[in-house]
Amino acid sequence: NESNCFSKNKMNRFLTIYVFLLLCGTASAQQIIEWNNLQTITDNARRTIYYEKGSKQPLQGEYRIVRGLDEERVKLSDGIINGDYFRYRDGVLRESGIYAKGKRNGTFTEYYQDGVTLRKETPMQQGKIDGTVKTYFRNGKIETEKEYRQSVESGRERRFDSKTGEQIFESHYIDGKKDGEEWEIFEDASTLRSRIIRHYRNGKLDGSYRVESTRDGKPYITIEGQYTTARNRDVGNSTTPPMTQPMNGMNDFLFSQVDFIKLPPKVRTFGKRCYICK
């Protein structure tokens, strides 16, 4: 038994020394260089090539590039980042991913200040965002999802509630512009809950909108109106309901999210459709 204990202690000591030497070798292989001592150029493929100032030879090997509190750990081949990429801030890991011949490729992951909790995931393909970008709340629940194709917004965007995980927003993009139906849910500090539905065409508000509000889970008020391209010149891409075209004899009415929550008593029609007029 004593012989076995001695052998185990010897083996543990050997492993400790081996790991220590391995870490030392890794640290010594990484060269530290300040950002101010670097110069960069962009080649025809729009890749960044790193040089040390005053040198005509691109950098080779593993480097720790220090810029204030930020530090990037990279592998350079002919001055181009190729392989694992890590970005730290004040010694804490904040981002990781992989470069392929100077361009981001695969999923890049960002972390909160603890260096562990997931904050954002960005799918990359040859240096461009391609796929669904996801962000997360600190509690681990999904915050947003947004689809891209070659760094252009294309597809669906969604947002979620931090506590319940309920989806509270959805919109759609075609070639970087909003198109189709968009909806959003608002809740105030009391029991009022409102759902806004609006429509876009070629990046501009166009078509019908509808605001449905409930209080204590019961129908409270419904507001309807119409966006037209001609009338949108004054509101641009505002996410609040705009000045509407006359509809069914109504006068134009401009209101905001706060306005329709604080409507005067005479227009508060419980459980019925209500048009807001001047």
Side-chain angles (χ1 to χ4, degrees), residues 28 39 46 49 57 70 76 89 110 125 139 157 164 181-182 185 203 209 215 223 230 243 255 258 260:
S28 62
Q39 60 183 14
R46 304 186 70 178
I49 304 177
Q57 297 297 321
D70 292 322
L76 297 174
R89 184 166 182 81
E110 297 179 36
Q125 185 178 56
N139 60 11
E157 177 185 8
T164 65
E181 182 180 284
E182 176 181 276
I185 293 174
Y209 72 82
R215 186 180 289 280
I223 304 171
M243 184 84 74
F255 61 93
V258 175
F260 77 74

Side-chain angles (χ1 to χ4, degrees), residues 259 262-268:
D259 293 329
K262 298 179 179 178
L263 294 173
K266 65 180 180 179
V267 298
R268 292 184 175 179

Side-chain angles (χ1 to χ4, degrees), residues 202-261:
N202 198 30
K204 295 182 178 180
L205 288 161
D206 187 83
S208 63
Y209 72 82
R210 181 181 176 91
V211 182
E212 302 170 341
S213 297
T214 61
R215 186 180 289 280
D216 296 320
K218 298 179 181 179
Y220 181 65
I221 191 170
T222 298
I223 304 171
E224 290 184 331
Q226 188 78 18
Y227 295 95
T228 63
T229 303
R231 299 292 293 179
N232 282 340
R233 289 176 299 191
D234 295 330
V235 295
N237 290 326
S238 171
T239 58
T240 56
M243 184 84 74
T244 67
Q245 279 285 70
M247 181 176 179
N248 296 334
M250 290 192 303
N251 293 316
D252 291 345
F253 187 80
L254 180 65
F255 61 93
S256 68
Q257 178 191 344
V258 175
D259 293 329
F260 77 74
I261 289 176

Side-chain angles (χ1 to χ4, degrees), residues 38 78-79 84-85 91 102 117 154 189 198 208 222 229 236 256 260 266:
L38 289 175
D78 295 325
D84 294 336
Y85 170 88
T117 305
S154 181
R198 48 190 168 247
S208 63
T222 298
T229 303
S256 68
F260 77 74
K266 65 180 180 179

